[in-house]
PDB file of all heavy atoms in Angstrom:
ATOM      1  N   PHE A  17       9.489   7.929   4.284  1.00 39.00           N
ATOM      2  CA  PHE A  17       8.442   7.344   3.453  1.00 39.00           C
ATOM      3  C   PHE A  17       8.994   6.739   2.155  1.00 39.00           C
ATOM      4  O   PHE A  17       8.219   6.224   1.384  1.00 39.00           O
ATOM      5  CB  PHE A  17       7.366   8.372   3.128  1.00 39.00           C
ATOM      6  CG  PHE A  17       6.627   8.791   4.383  1.00 39.00           C
ATOM      7  CD1 PHE A  17       6.774  10.057   4.889  1.00 39.00           C
ATOM      8  CD2 PHE A  17       5.788   7.926   5.033  1.00 39.00           C
ATOM      9  CE1 PHE A  17       6.111  10.437   6.040  1.00 39.00           C
ATOM     10  CE2 PHE A  17       5.121   8.279   6.169  1.00 39.00           C
ATOM     11  CZ  PHE A  17       5.274   9.552   6.677  1.00 39.00           C
ATOM     12  N   GLU A  18      10.293   6.769   1.976  1.00 42.00           N
ATOM     13  CA  GLU A  18      10.894   6.240   0.762  1.00 42.00           C
ATOM     14  C   GLU A  18      10.534   4.785   0.532  1.00 42.00           C
ATOM     15  O   GLU A  18      10.295   4.355  -0.576  1.00 42.00           O
ATOM     16  CB  GLU A  18      12.392   6.419   0.874  1.00 42.00           C
ATOM     17  CG  GLU A  18      13.171   6.110  -0.367  1.00 42.00           C
ATOM     18  CD  GLU A  18      14.614   6.491  -0.167  1.00 42.00           C
ATOM     19  OE1 GLU A  18      14.919   7.670  -0.229  1.00 42.00           O
ATOM     20  OE2 GLU A  18      15.412   5.579   0.083  1.00 42.00           O
ATOM     21  N   CYS A  19      10.485   3.996   1.621  1.00 47.00           N
ATOM     22  CA  CYS A  19      10.252   2.565   1.446  1.00 47.00           C
ATOM     23  C   CYS A  19       8.805   2.188   1.750  1.00 47.00           C
ATOM     24  O   CYS A  19       8.443   1.030   1.612  1.00 47.00           O
ATOM     25  CB  CYS A  19      11.181   1.782   2.362  1.00 47.00           C
ATOM     26  SG  CYS A  19      10.933   2.152   4.110  1.00 47.00           S
ATOM     27  N   MET A  20       7.983   3.128   2.132  1.00 69.00           N
ATOM     28  CA  MET A  20       6.589   2.814   2.453  1.00 69.00           C
ATOM     29  C   MET A  20       5.707   2.960   1.231  1.00 69.00           C
ATOM     30  O   MET A  20       5.890   3.857   0.423  1.00 69.00           O
ATOM     31  CB  MET A  20       6.073   3.735   3.558  1.00 69.00           C
ATOM     32  CG  MET A  20       6.742   3.492   4.879  1.00 69.00           C
ATOM     33  SD  MET A  20       6.110   4.578   6.159  1.00 69.00           S
ATOM     34  CE  MET A  20       4.478   3.928   6.370  1.00 69.00           C
ATOM     35  N   THR A  21       4.741   2.061   1.105  1.00 84.00           N
ATOM     36  CA  THR A  21       3.799   2.157   0.028  1.00 84.00           C
ATOM     37  C   THR A  21       2.595   2.955   0.476  1.00 84.00           C
ATOM     38  O   THR A  21       2.328   3.061   1.658  1.00 84.00           O
ATOM     39  CB  THR A  21       3.350   0.746  -0.415  1.00 84.00           C
ATOM     40  OG1 THR A  21       2.768   0.090   0.694  1.00 84.00           O
ATOM     41  CG2 THR A  21       4.501  -0.048  -0.966  1.00 84.00           C
ATOM     42  N   GLY A  22       1.862   3.487  -0.467  1.00 89.00           N
ATOM     43  CA  GLY A  22       0.679   4.252  -0.147  1.00 89.00           C
ATOM     44  C   GLY A  22      -0.569   3.542  -0.668  1.00 89.00           C
ATOM     45  O   GLY A  22      -0.509   2.629  -1.515  1.00 89.00           O
ATOM     46  N   PHE A  23      -1.709   3.996  -0.182  1.00 92.00           N
ATOM     47  CA  PHE A  23      -2.982   3.454  -0.652  1.00 92.00           C
ATOM     48  C   PHE A  23      -3.039   3.533  -2.178  1.00 92.00           C
ATOM     49  O   PHE A  23      -2.731   4.568  -2.748  1.00 92.00           O
ATOM     50  CB  PHE A  23      -4.145   4.236  -0.021  1.00 92.00           C
ATOM     51  CG  PHE A  23      -5.478   3.844  -0.585  1.00 92.00           C
ATOM     52  CD1 PHE A  23      -6.063   2.637  -0.237  1.00 92.00           C
ATOM     53  CD2 PHE A  23      -6.129   4.657  -1.500  1.00 92.00           C
ATOM     54  CE1 PHE A  23      -7.284   2.241  -0.765  1.00 92.00           C
ATOM     55  CE2 PHE A  23      -7.350   4.287  -2.019  1.00 92.00           C
ATOM     56  CZ  PHE A  23      -7.925   3.077  -1.671  1.00 92.00           C
ATOM     57  N   ASP A  25      -1.140   2.200  -4.398  1.00 96.00           N
ATOM     58  CA  ASP A  25       0.097   1.965  -5.118  1.00 96.00           C
ATOM     59  C   ASP A  25       0.104   0.581  -5.756  1.00 96.00           C
ATOM     60  O   ASP A  25      -0.462  -0.367  -5.210  1.00 96.00           O
ATOM     61  CB  ASP A  25       1.313   2.056  -4.170  1.00 96.00           C
ATOM     62  CG  ASP A  25       1.696   3.482  -3.830  1.00 96.00           C
ATOM     63  OD1 ASP A  25       1.120   4.426  -4.423  1.00 96.00           O
ATOM     64  OD2 ASP A  25       2.581   3.652  -2.970  1.00 96.00           O
ATOM     65  N   ARG A  26       0.733   0.481  -6.911  1.00 97.00           N
ATOM     66  CA  ARG A  26       0.949  -0.836  -7.516  1.00 97.00           C
ATOM     67  C   ARG A  26       2.225  -1.403  -6.890  1.00 97.00           C
ATOM     68  O   ARG A  26       3.247  -0.707  -6.796  1.00 97.00           O
ATOM     69  CB  ARG A  26       1.141  -0.730  -9.038  1.00 97.00           C
ATOM     70  CG  ARG A  26      -0.151  -0.578  -9.759  1.00 97.00           C
ATOM     71  CD  ARG A  26      -0.028  -0.601 -11.284  1.00 97.00           C
ATOM     72  NE  ARG A  26       1.287  -0.438 -11.828  1.00 97.00           N
ATOM     73  CZ  ARG A  26       1.971  -1.422 -12.493  1.00 97.00           C
ATOM     74  NH1 ARG A  26       1.442  -2.599 -12.655  1.00 97.00           N
ATOM     75  NH2 ARG A  26       3.166  -1.176 -12.952  1.00 97.00           N
ATOM     76  N   VAL A  27       2.166  -2.661  -6.481  1.00 98.00           N
ATOM     77  CA  VAL A  27       3.272  -3.294  -5.784  1.00 98.00           C
ATOM     78  C   VAL A  27       3.541  -4.690  -6.309  1.00 98.00           C
ATOM     79  O   VAL A  27       2.703  -5.283  -6.974  1.00 98.00           O
ATOM     80  CB  VAL A  27       3.031  -3.359  -4.256  1.00 98.00           C
ATOM     81  CG1 VAL A  27       2.903  -1.952  -3.645  1.00 98.00           C
ATOM     82  CG2 VAL A  27       1.776  -4.174  -3.935  1.00 98.00           C
ATOM     83  N   VAL A  47      -2.313  -1.852  -3.441  1.00 97.00           N
ATOM     84  CA  VAL A  47      -2.490  -1.690  -1.993  1.00 97.00           C
ATOM     85  C   VAL A  47      -3.924  -1.219  -1.729  1.00 97.00           C
ATOM     86  O   VAL A  47      -4.355  -0.200  -2.243  1.00 97.00           O
ATOM     87  CB  VAL A  47      -1.480  -0.682  -1.420  1.00 97.00           C
ATOM     88  CG1 VAL A  47      -1.790  -0.409   0.057  1.00 97.00           C
ATOM     89  CG2 VAL A  47      -0.064  -1.200  -1.593  1.00 97.00           C
ATOM     90  N   TYR A  50      -4.148  -0.887   5.184  1.00 95.00           N
ATOM     91  CA  TYR A  50      -3.159  -1.184   6.224  1.00 95.00           C
ATOM     92  C   TYR A  50      -3.880  -1.556   7.491  1.00 95.00           C
ATOM     93  O   TYR A  50      -5.031  -1.179   7.676  1.00 95.00           O
ATOM     94  CB  TYR A  50      -2.289   0.062   6.513  1.00 95.00           C
ATOM     95  CG  TYR A  50      -1.703   0.649   5.267  1.00 95.00           C
ATOM     96  CD1 TYR A  50      -2.365   1.630   4.547  1.00 95.00           C
ATOM     97  CD2 TYR A  50      -0.467   0.197   4.817  1.00 95.00           C
ATOM     98  CE1 TYR A  50      -1.813   2.169   3.392  1.00 95.00           C
ATOM     99  CE2 TYR A  50       0.090   0.711   3.673  1.00 95.00           C
ATOM    100  CZ  TYR A  50      -0.584   1.694   2.975  1.00 95.00           C
ATOM    101  OH  TYR A  50      -0.055   2.202   1.811  1.00 95.00           O
ATOM    102  N   TYR A  68       2.377  -3.942  11.943  1.00 94.00           N
ATOM    103  CA  TYR A  68       1.892  -3.220  10.774  1.00 94.00           C
ATOM    104  C   TYR A  68       1.855  -4.179   9.608  1.00 94.00           C
ATOM    105  O   TYR A  68       2.838  -4.885   9.335  1.00 94.00           O
ATOM    106  CB  TYR A  68       2.868  -2.057  10.508  1.00 94.00           C
ATOM    107  CG  TYR A  68       2.584  -1.271   9.265  1.00 94.00           C
ATOM    108  CD1 TYR A  68       1.611  -0.278   9.262  1.00 94.00           C
ATOM    109  CD2 TYR A  68       3.295  -1.487   8.106  1.00 94.00           C
ATOM    110  CE1 TYR A  68       1.357   0.464   8.127  1.00 94.00           C
ATOM    111  CE2 TYR A  68       3.060  -0.738   6.952  1.00 94.00           C
ATOM    112  CZ  TYR A  68       2.098   0.240   6.991  1.00 94.00           C
ATOM    113  OH  TYR A  68       1.846   0.974   5.868  1.00 94.00           O
ATOM    114  N   VAL A  70       0.260  -4.753   5.398  1.00 97.00           N
ATOM    115  CA  VAL A  70      -0.252  -4.116   4.170  1.00 97.00           C
ATOM    116  C   VAL A  70      -1.170  -5.103   3.447  1.00 97.00           C
ATOM    117  O   VAL A  70      -0.798  -6.250   3.240  1.00 97.00           O
ATOM    118  CB  VAL A  70       0.907  -3.741   3.237  1.00 97.00           C
ATOM    119  CG1 VAL A  70       0.403  -3.088   1.962  1.00 97.00           C
ATOM    120  CG2 VAL A  70       1.921  -2.837   3.954  1.00 97.00           C
ATOM    121  N   VAL A  88       6.638  -6.268   0.469  1.00 97.00           N
ATOM    122  CA  VAL A  88       5.921  -5.520  -0.544  1.00 97.00           C
ATOM    123  C   VAL A  88       6.852  -4.449  -1.108  1.00 97.00           C
ATOM    124  O   VAL A  88       7.366  -3.619  -0.364  1.00 97.00           O
ATOM    125  CB  VAL A  88       4.661  -4.857   0.090  1.00 97.00           C
ATOM    126  CG1 VAL A  88       3.941  -4.024  -0.943  1.00 97.00           C
ATOM    127  CG2 VAL A  88       3.762  -5.898   0.688  1.00 97.00           C
ATOM    128  N   GLU A  89       7.069  -4.503  -2.430  1.00 97.00           N
ATOM    129  CA  GLU A  89       7.922  -3.467  -3.045  1.00 97.00           C
ATOM    130  C   GLU A  89       7.071  -2.652  -4.032  1.00 97.00           C
ATOM    131  O   GLU A  89       6.301  -3.204  -4.805  1.00 97.00           O
ATOM    132  CB  GLU A  89       9.146  -4.052  -3.696  1.00 97.00           C
ATOM    133  CG  GLU A  89       8.898  -4.936  -4.877  1.00 97.00           C
ATOM    134  CD  GLU A  89      10.185  -5.470  -5.495  1.00 97.00           C
ATOM    135  OE1 GLU A  89      11.274  -4.945  -5.212  1.00 97.00           O
ATOM    136  OE2 GLU A  89      10.094  -6.432  -6.278  1.00 97.00           O
ATOM    137  N   GLN A  90       7.237  -1.369  -3.960  1.00 95.00           N
ATOM    138  CA  GLN A  90       6.457  -0.456  -4.809  1.00 95.00           C
ATOM    139  C   GLN A  90       6.939  -0.518  -6.257  1.00 95.00           C
ATOM    140  O   GLN A  90       8.129  -0.526  -6.522  1.00 95.00           O
ATOM    141  CB  GLN A  90       6.582   0.967  -4.297  1.00 95.00           C
ATOM    142  CG  GLN A  90       5.759   1.938  -5.098  1.00 95.00           C
ATOM    143  CD  GLN A  90       5.897   3.361  -4.617  1.00 95.00           C
ATOM    144  OE1 GLN A  90       6.962   3.756  -4.181  1.00 95.00           O
ATOM    145  NE2 GLN A  90       4.845   4.130  -4.699  1.00 95.00           N
TER     146      GLN A  90
END
Side-chain angles (χ1 to χ4, degrees):
F17 295 110
E18 188 173 283
C19 61
M20 293 180 69
T21 59
F23 173 74
D25 283 353
R26 281 186 346 113
V27 296
V47 174
Y50 307 90
Y68 175 80
V70 180
V88 178
E89 66 179 345
Q90 182 182 33

